[in-house]
Amino acid sequence: MLDQSSPAPRTDARKAEKTYDLVVIGAGIAGLNALYAAMEYLPKGADVLMIDQKSAAGGMWNTAYDYVRLHQPHPMFTVGDMTWDWRKPREYLAARNEVQAHLASALGVVGRSVALDSAFGQTVATCREIETSAGPRAEVVYHPNEDPARPRIVQARLAVHASGLNYQLADPLRLSSDQVVSIQPGDLTRVLKAHPDAPLFVVGGGKTGMDSILAALSQSPARQVSLINGRGTNFFNRTRNIPTGLKRWTSGVLVSRLFHDLATRFDGDNEDALIAHVRAHHSTDPSSENGVFLYGLQSEDEHARIQSGLHAVFGGYLADVVDTETGPEMRLKDGTAHAVAPGSVFVNCTGSFFRSEALVDHRPMLTPGNTVLSINPRETMHFLTSVTGFFAVHLLYRDKLRGQGIYRLDHEALFRQNRNAWVGAAAAQAYLNQTIAVQQLPIMLLDRCGLDLDRWYPFPRRMAALLRMKMNATADKAHCTRVLDRVAARFDVLCAPLD
């Protein structure tokens, strides 16, 4: 973890090897979008340093399970407005290696106009604001992975610490039975090939679980696949809300309007009613009793393939698998038990975010001297780190980040307390801050944010949505502010404007 808990020393005693115009820590989608946005303001030939623990740019896409695919059409997952270097249908959902390759190539393209130094395979020990004879500066101390005895010290006029959402691969579940196989998603393809007839139990009904079911059924349609579903997860209906062909003109709801719907329906207390609304009006499975929504997207075809391919669905949560005289037995936390075949495979798909027992260390979104901008789950302006990277950097360079009503939120603390309240608060925060960004930034900059899913729709529909946002901005901002203040008081989490 990075150490940012100590106050900034008022000294420049530690000699820096070099002073950069910009240091970006983290070469994932957030850091790359931050770098892209900064290019608008840095002079040609500016000194820039990119640091990352991994061996290449791409963030979590370097280590994610091999069958993961994007939720959304690939053109809307990019760096700035960079196009993908291929000819694929617009609706194509890029796979892991394709996403990683696109992000890695983006670093080279974005860095062409500056003097870019790259430091991969490096761990950042500290990133903090210090006072120097030249004024406030960011000080970054980093070292080769596994070799803290060789630190390097640099300073920067601005450091963007884009650590993201602390993505971690899930470990295999610790099960008591010796007659079943317990794995994590990264092992799934290999293990299923080695056990072609073994029943598969997918533990977790979120996106990782759905990906795992589809991968297993694609590899072996006859395999017996069961789902342990927890409370059940709702997914945005991608077929209806990201239509293809001429339907982009005549049907679907722009994503900005979906967020407006969620943000204005949430009052700070009615999170369960909000999730019921999502399920009934926006999901692929409105007749279900699913109780969770985490902003995942799913097509109607994917949903149908999963439902037709599943052998069984178990509501509730897995407690253990134990060996009995009659064979292995799966026991759920509600006390029910079910016999399972020897050799069954259990894959842990319970998610890859916020997996540590304790909250990650808190870091301020912006230091007092405006020299360290942190994109982290404890204090950020949007639940999508990529969006934060793009808009926070633009607003910071234009001196429009503080004092404009931009709300910060401790997403991790709220998520751990109440996931459904997190959905409502995340929607209210995202819509509020997006409205403020629209008011503060030129339209030509807004149009260069390729992450905007509204870009899926034709220009006239997008402009109509933008006009509605501007016309209703005063009332919508007031509502979202009230909601976020209520969330702060109710859950005692950081949720306040950046002043």
Side-chain angles (χ1 to χ4, degrees), residues 290-359:
N290 292 335
V292 176
F293 170 64
L294 300 175
Y295 289 106
L297 287 86
Q298 183 185 66
S299 71
E300 293 174 1
D301 176 69
E302 289 167 338
H303 176 71
R305 283 190 284 146
I306 289 167
Q307 294 302 306
S308 63
L310 282 173
H311 171 72
V313 177
F314 300 92
Y317 297 89
L318 179 67
D320 200 1
V321 180
V322 301
D323 291 330
T324 71
E325 293 181 355
T326 58
E329 184 177 84
M330 176 177 71
R331 295 178 179 175
L332 303 182
K333 291 184 178 180
D334 63 7
T336 59
H338 307 270
V340 298
S344 293
V345 176
F346 285 76
V347 57
N348 182 9
C349 297
T350 55
S352 300
F353 298 108
F354 309 143
R355 297 202 62 84
S356 61
E357 292 185 5
L359 294 166

Side-chain angles (χ1 to χ4, degrees), residues 397-426:
Y397 272 108
R398 290 172 174 267
D399 197 25
K400 298 290 187 180
L401 192 54
R402 292 190 190 274
Q404 306 299 320
I406 293 284
Y407 259 69
R408 305 158 293 154
L409 173 62
D410 188 338
H411 283 266
E412 181 176 359
L414 182 57
F415 185 90
R416 288 175 182 263
Q417 285 195 55
N418 188 315
R419 293 187 180 190
N420 287 349
W422 170 80
V423 170

Side-chain angles (χ1 to χ4, degrees), residues 5 8 38 45 64 80 86 99 116 126 133 146 152 157 237 251 307 330 361-362 375 386 391 422 425:
S5 59
W86 63 14
V99 177
L116 177 65
T126 60
S133 58
E146 313 302 334
R152 300 186 66 179
R157 292 174 176 82
N237 188 324
S251 66
Q307 294 302 306
M330 176 177 71
D361 293 340
H362 173 265
I375 303 172
S386 53
F391 284 105
W422 170 80

Side-chain angles (χ1 to χ4, degrees), residues 129-363:
E129 183 173 283
I130 63 171
E131 190 66 30
T132 75
S133 58
R137 291 288 184 267
E139 180 191 71
V140 181
V141 181
Y142 66 100
H143 58 78
N145 295 345
E146 313 302 334
D147 192 1
R150 291 198 293 144
R152 300 186 66 179
I153 302 173
V154 298
Q155 292 180 10
R157 292 174 176 82
L158 173 64
V160 178
H161 179 199
S163 59
L165 293 178
N166 193 25
Y167 175 88
Q168 300 177 38
L169 294 175
D171 293 325
L173 296 167
R174 295 182 179 178
L175 304 176
S176 300
S177 174
D178 294 327
Q179 301 184 60
V180 299
V181 179
S182 181
I183 63 172
Q184 53 107 325
D187 301 324
L188 184 67
T189 301
R190 172 182 57 81
V191 170
L192 293 187
K193 286 181 179 178
H195 300 81
D197 299 319
L200 174 66
F201 289 82
V202 174
V203 184
K207 183 181 186 299
T208 303
M210 300 301 103
D211 285 347
S212 298
I213 294 169
L214 290 170
L217 293 174
S218 296
Q219 187 182 93
S220 178
R223 187 184 299 275
Q224 190 179 100
V225 180
S226 298
L227 171 64
I228 303 171
N229 201 29
R231 293 173 60 191
T233 301
N234 299 288
F235 292 88
F236 268 140
N237 188 324
R238 189 170 61 239
T239 302
R240 190 167 67 227
N241 292 314
I242 306 183
T244 58
L246 291 176
K247 290 183 179 179
R248 294 188 302 117
W249 287 89
T250 60
S251 66
V253 178
L254 275 70
V255 172
S256 62
R257 302 312 300 170
L258 288 175
F259 272 93
H260 179 268
D261 181 37
L262 270 60
T264 54
R265 285 182 181 274
F266 185 51
D267 63 11
D269 292 282
N270 65 338
E271 60 268 10
D272 291 338
L274 177 68
I275 300 304
H277 172 78
V278 171
R279 182 173 61 246
H281 297 279
H282 300 306
S283 78
T284 52
D285 195 8
S287 63
S288 74
E289 296 182 358
N290 292 335
V292 176
F293 170 64
L294 300 175
Y295 289 106
L297 287 86
Q298 183 185 66
S299 71
E300 293 174 1
D301 176 69
E302 289 167 338
H303 176 71
R305 283 190 284 146
I306 289 167
Q307 294 302 306
S308 63
L310 282 173
H311 171 72
V313 177
F314 300 92
Y317 297 89
L318 179 67
D320 200 1
V321 180
V322 301
D323 291 330
T324 71
E325 293 181 355
T326 58
E329 184 177 84
M330 176 177 71
R331 295 178 179 175
L332 303 182
K333 291 184 178 180
D334 63 7
T336 59
H338 307 270
V340 298
S344 293
V345 176
F346 285 76
V347 57
N348 182 9
C349 297
T350 55
S352 300
F353 298 108
F354 309 143
R355 297 202 62 84
S356 61
E357 292 185 5
L359 294 166
V360 302
D361 293 340
H362 173 265
R363 294 191 303 274

